[in-house]
Amino acid sequence: MSDKAFNPFVMAQMQFDKAAEFLNLDEGTRELLRNPMREYHFSIPVHMDDGKIKIFRGFRVQHNDSRGPGKGGIRFHPQETVDTVRALSMWMTWKCSVVDIPLGGSKGGVICDPHNLSAREQEQICRGWIRQLARNVGPNTDVPAPDVMTNAQHMLWMLDEYETIYGEKMPGLITGKPVGMGGSLGRTEATGYGVIYTLREALRDMGIKPDQTTASVQGFGNVAQYAIRLYQQIGGKVTCVSCWDQNDQKSYSFKKSSGVDPNALLTITDRFGGIEKTKASDMGYEILPGEAWIEQDVDILIPSAIENQITGDNVNKIHKNVKIIAEGANGPTTPEADKVIHERGIFVIPDFLANAGGVTCSYFEQVQSNMNYFWEKDEVLGKLDVKMTAAFHAVKDLADKRKLYMRDAAYLVAVSRVAQACKDRGWV
Ligand code: GLU
């Protein structure tokens, strides 16, 4: 089977089964953890600007809440499927566990394309999503957040609808809110910065100086933009970034050997991370096919777009000089590709460890919202660095001790904590 059409939920279950085998988990625990505990599927009717009614399909999947309330983003995507949301909810459980925050795993989605929706139509989708789930999410049950193509404004509309239904203020319902409206300073930077905190530790362990490295990045959304910035601050050079073109909606790679300039690129980027390729060309970028980011002669690859990007079909294009893959996206590498990467000895910082900075900062936001007392940005980012660094070393130490691939070690750390919580609660 070509893994191009790989089902992410099948992939998440395969990864879990491997960890369950390593940990010798009993049958009941395996069955509990390889499926979500609850899921909701529903319709959201929207009165469109042209007067017609359009029905959007929405989901919320709650994989496991043994360690605390469910936590996870809501994606707006035209190709959203419930299996993708299931996989992502499971990865959220492992993500919260690997950074050791008291939260479980959930994920939500709506099949829609915000590119083709007015602000008013998007607001209706957000309010409709919350109306469908008002009894099933909450500050102590399941706490949503932004994800692919959703942002702070979407979160605030959802919070407003929830507070209207319940008649009281509950800012702990949702994270990723605008700063000044219950949001945490540093949340925007957190996921991308977290990727680089773990990358910095990996480089230190390998005895490589960041200022002697180059990287190629897939994506130019929130995660990629801040990963590029912090990587540059520690001395690294990004020579290629890939993303889609605003006009033809196709993916391209933008190469500049002297180093990409995220500030300049941002001036020609829309709010979904799409670039105008003709303007990029005017800025001196070489425009290459979408997949060219993967074959660059660099030390580090940072896939920071969406799932299923490094596959059996393109994994062999990875340049022989690549030493590290830091997975900013959720599930960017299929199992077939992962096997090749493992065999080649490339050091992988697996997705749910590398990109856990977002949810870790969400946890800080939840704490601040519930206390109604907000920290300075340096304090937030300092605490984030401590958490990410500790999580990286917990995984790396286990990988060294038991001679494991980093992804397997991350799974062992995360799954064992969740299995223990289920056991301690008397569920299994
Ligand atoms: N959507 C982000 C993720 O995949 C953050 C989730 C959250 O903050 O709850 O990790």
Side-chain angles (χ1 to χ4, degrees), residues 75-142:
R75 308 186 343 150
F76 283 181
H77 200 278
Q79 271 95 45
E80 193 61 288
T81 69
V82 69
D83 270 348
T84 311
V85 183
R86 286 178 178 134
L88 290 159
S89 74
M90 192 191 275
W91 288 329
M92 285 309 302
T93 304
W94 313 142
K95 195 181 297 195
C96 293
S97 176
V98 86
V99 282
D100 206 10
I101 55 177
L103 295 165
S106 290
K107 204 81 178 195
V110 178
I111 306 175
C112 70
D113 188 352
H115 290 95
N116 309 324
L117 295 166
S118 70
R120 195 199 62 82
E121 290 164 342
Q122 292 182 46
E123 178 178 348
Q124 294 313 305
I125 293 178
C126 291
R127 290 184 185 277
W129 194 92
I130 279 292
R131 280 200 297 276
Q132 291 297 326
L133 284 167
R135 278 161 303 280
N136 311 107
V137 296
N140 299 315
T141 48
D142 183 6

Side-chain angles (χ1 to χ4, degrees), residues 274-290:
I275 285 180
E276 271 198 69
K277 69 172 178 306
T278 43
K279 290 194 181 156
S281 172
D282 294 344
M283 284 179 172
Y285 287 85
E286 203 181 325
I287 317 291
L288 302 170

Side-chain angles (χ1 to χ4, degrees), residues 342 347-350 352-353 391-392 395-397 399-400 404-411:
H342 186 183
F347 186 83
V348 169
I349 311 174
F352 67 86
L353 169 62
F392 175 85
V395 172
K396 178 71 170 42
D397 288 353
D400 288 345
L404 294 171
Y405 184 44
M406 276 293 278
R407 193 182 311 278
D408 295 338
Y411 264 98

Side-chain angles (χ1 to χ4, degrees), residues 211-265:
D211 60 4
Q212 283 160 10
T213 63
T214 52
S216 176
V217 177
Q218 186 190 31
F220 195 60
N222 175 262
V223 180
Q225 285 169 24
Y226 286 97
I228 294 172
R229 279 171 212 275
L230 189 61
Y231 174 63
Q232 288 179 337
Q233 275 172 36
I234 65 170
K237 185 161 84 173
V238 175
T239 55
C240 187
V241 59
S242 93
C243 71
W244 67 77
D245 175 73
Q246 282 167 25
N247 299 314
D248 66 16
Q249 300 285 311
K250 285 197 192 116
S251 175
Y252 296 90
S253 296
F254 301 85
K255 183 171 177 178
K256 202 173 204 180
S257 303
S258 58
V260 310
D261 175 355
N263 290 335
L265 282 180

Side-chain angles (χ1 to χ4, degrees), residues 71-73 92 95 107 143 145-147 175 187 330 355 358-359 362:
K71 189 84 194 77
M92 285 309 302
K95 195 181 297 195
K107 204 81 178 195
V143 182
D147 204 282
T175 61
R187 178 64 185 84
N330 290 312
N355 71 31
V359 75
S362 273

Side-chain angles (χ1 to χ4, degrees), residues 9 12-13 16 25 27-37 63-64 66 90 93-94 414-416 418-420 422 427-428:
F9 187 48
Q13 288 188 317
F16 166 73
L25 290 186
E27 270 315 305
T29 310
R30 283 184 203 214
E31 202 175 323
L32 180 68
L33 294 180
R34 79 191 301 280
N35 287 295
M37 293 189 78
H63 173 258
N64 188 281
S66 60
M90 192 191 275
T93 304
W94 313 142
V415 174
S416 62
V418 177
Q420 190 63 43
C422 294
W427 291 357
V428 286

Side-chain angles (χ1 to χ4, degrees), residues 304-369:
S304 304
I306 54 169
E307 64 281 352
N308 206 16
Q309 298 301 299
I310 306 180
T311 68
D313 291 342
N314 64 16
V315 67
N316 288 314
K317 294 188 181 158
I318 294 177
H319 197 278
K320 63 175 177 13
N321 289 340
V322 169
K323 296 165 197 67
I324 300 177
I325 300 178
E327 296 181 333
N330 290 312
T333 310
T334 66
E336 195 182 338
D338 200 37
K339 204 160 161 271
V340 176
I341 290 168
H342 186 183
E343 280 161 12
R344 278 180 57 177
I346 299 173
F347 186 83
V348 169
I349 311 174
D351 52 359
F352 67 86
L353 169 62
N355 71 31
V359 75
T360 303
C361 193
S362 273
Y363 164 57
F364 297 153
E365 177 175 336
Q366 200 196 9
V367 171
Q368 295 170 81
S369 282

